[in-house]
């Protein structure tokens, strides 16, 4: 292996002094740790579940089990070993149980807390925040993503992420139409920046697929297309009718 030149080491030292230890040498191996979604077919395609230190976007029509899937991931995250992230009943290492908390930012103010008990989610490690507007939701997510005790950040949902200016403006004001897209883009970038791999973290964003206006076919995601590019995994759920659903 060739030795590093003094110029390269000097540049690396300056960058780490200014921005912190953000640079590391590549190992040539991917992180095999995954968190199960509770759906075998999805876990098989994803190599075991959702990848750590990434942001996952779960989108779909109304009543397509988006919140249920997010809460199932939270349940499996709590049940993992804190060292190898394998389910504790299958773990053979000496690591203790996962001690991280989940912060659930309920933008819609519609989460049924009794549903947590039916899904067997530990309520003692589950914190629900109900922000008054979109800026507060982004600030909550960004600050809690920095906390060492927080392992998961869930935002439900991006479609309801309205800015304070949008809430204060009139119904016919067109100056605030792009505020949601700006908030969502900043939210994704903030989480990606703070998920630096120093400890296992996971971000989940929920969004609704809305029908196009003016009778045009197809659907769209509120908040712009940038959320698709900033997501490492996109799970799109569809509901065919009241008795059947497909992924």
């Amino acid at each position: 292996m060739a030795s590093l030149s003094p110029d390269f080491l000097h540049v690396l030292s300056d960058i780490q002094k200014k921005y912190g230890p953000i640079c590391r040498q590549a190992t040539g191996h991917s992180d095999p740790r995954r968190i199960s979604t509770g759906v075998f077919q999805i876990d098989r395609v994803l190599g075991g579940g959702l990848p750590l230190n990434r942001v996952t976007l779960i989108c779909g029509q109304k009543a397509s089990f988006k919140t249920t899937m997010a809460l199932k991931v939270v349940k499996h995250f709590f049940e993992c070993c804190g060292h190898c992230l394998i389910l504790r009943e299958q773990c053979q290492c000496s690591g203790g149980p996962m001690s991280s908390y989940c912060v659930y930012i309920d933008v819609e103010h519609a989460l049924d807390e009794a549903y947590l008990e039916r899904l067997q989610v530990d309520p003692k490690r589950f914190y629900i925040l109900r922000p008054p507007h979109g800026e507060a939701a982004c600030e909550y997510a960004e600050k809690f993503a920095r906390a060492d005790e927080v392992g998961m950040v869930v935002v439900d949902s991006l479609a309801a992420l309205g800015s304070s200016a949008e809430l204060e403006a009139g119904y016919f004001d067109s100056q605030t139409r792009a505020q949601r897209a700006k908030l969502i883009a900043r939210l994704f970038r903030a989480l990606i920046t703070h998920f630096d791999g120093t400890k296992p973290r996971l971000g989940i964003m929920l969004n609704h697929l809305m029908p196009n206006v003016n009778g045009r076919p197809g659907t769209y995601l509120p908040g712009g297309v940038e959320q698709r590019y900033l997501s490492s995994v996109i799970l799109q759920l569809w509901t065919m009718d009241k008795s059947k659903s497909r992924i």
Side-chain angles (χ1 to χ4, degrees):
M1 177 177 167
S3 60
L4 299 177
S5 65
D7 292 339
F8 181 87
L9 294 175
H10 179 70
V11 171
L12 185 62
S13 176
D14 289 344
I15 290 177
Q16 291 182 347
K17 287 180 180 179
K18 185 174 182 180
Y19 299 105
I22 62 173
C23 180
R24 64 178 179 85
Q25 188 173 0
T27 61
H29 303 282
S30 61
D31 191 347
R33 299 176 298 175
R34 298 288 190 272
I35 302 299
S36 173
T37 63
V39 181
F40 173 75
Q41 292 86 346
I42 296 179
D43 291 345
R44 183 178 62 177
V45 172
L46 296 177
L50 302 183
L52 286 174
N53 300 313
R54 300 290 188 271
V55 179
T56 297
L57 174 63
I58 302 178
C59 56
Q61 297 172 319
K62 182 179 177 60
S64 58
F65 308 106
K66 299 184 296 297
T67 301
T68 301
M69 178 167 290
L71 293 178
K72 279 184 171 293
V73 176
V74 175
K75 173 181 178 294
H76 291 134
F77 185 79
F78 287 164
E79 293 177 348
C80 288
C81 169
H83 177 68
C84 64
L85 293 185
I86 299 177
L87 292 178
R88 289 200 297 269
E89 57 267 20
Q90 302 175 0
C91 173
Q92 298 181 355
C93 72
S94 58
M98 178 71 70
S99 59
S100 299
Y101 294 84
C102 173
V103 173
Y104 193 97
I105 303 177
D106 185 16
V107 184
E108 297 181 353
H109 295 208
L111 179 64
D112 184 5
E113 298 187 30
Y115 196 43
L116 300 176
E117 183 178 357
R118 293 198 290 271
L119 292 178
Q120 299 179 350
V121 177
D122 187 2
K124 297 180 180 179
R125 298 162 60 189
F126 192 91
Y127 286 87
I128 302 175
L129 304 177
R130 294 189 168 97
H133 46 73
E135 288 88 349
C138 294
E139 186 175 359
Y140 295 167
E142 185 173 353
K143 289 187 175 181
F144 278 106
R146 300 175 183 174
D148 293 336
E149 295 82 1
V150 176
M152 283 194 65
V153 176
V154 182
V155 179
D156 185 9
S157 67
L158 301 181
L161 203 66
S163 64
S164 58
E166 182 180 355
L167 297 176
E168 295 173 359
Y171 287 101
F172 299 99
D173 188 0
S174 61
Q175 301 298 321
T176 60
R177 290 181 178 176
Q179 294 297 323
R180 182 189 289 115
K182 294 179 180 178
L183 288 175
I184 291 176
R186 177 175 177 178
L187 175 61
F188 271 85
R189 293 192 183 99
L191 292 183
I192 291 172
T193 301
H194 297 306
F195 291 171
D196 53 4
T198 55
K199 66 169 296 183
R201 286 191 173 104
L202 187 65
I204 297 180
M205 305 291 155
L206 307 183
N207 206 348
H208 296 286
L209 281 173
M210 306 293 290
N212 286 327
V213 296
N214 300 327
R216 293 181 297 174
T219 57
Y220 74 96
L221 278 177
V225 298
E226 192 170 2
Q227 55 190 297
R228 291 184 178 271
Y229 301 116
L230 296 176
S231 303
S232 296
V233 176
I234 301 176
L235 299 180
Q236 188 164 310
L237 311 181
W238 292 85
T239 300
M240 299 178 63
D241 53 44
K242 293 184 179 180
S243 60
K244 296 180 181 180
S245 64
R246 66 182 177 88
I247 299 177

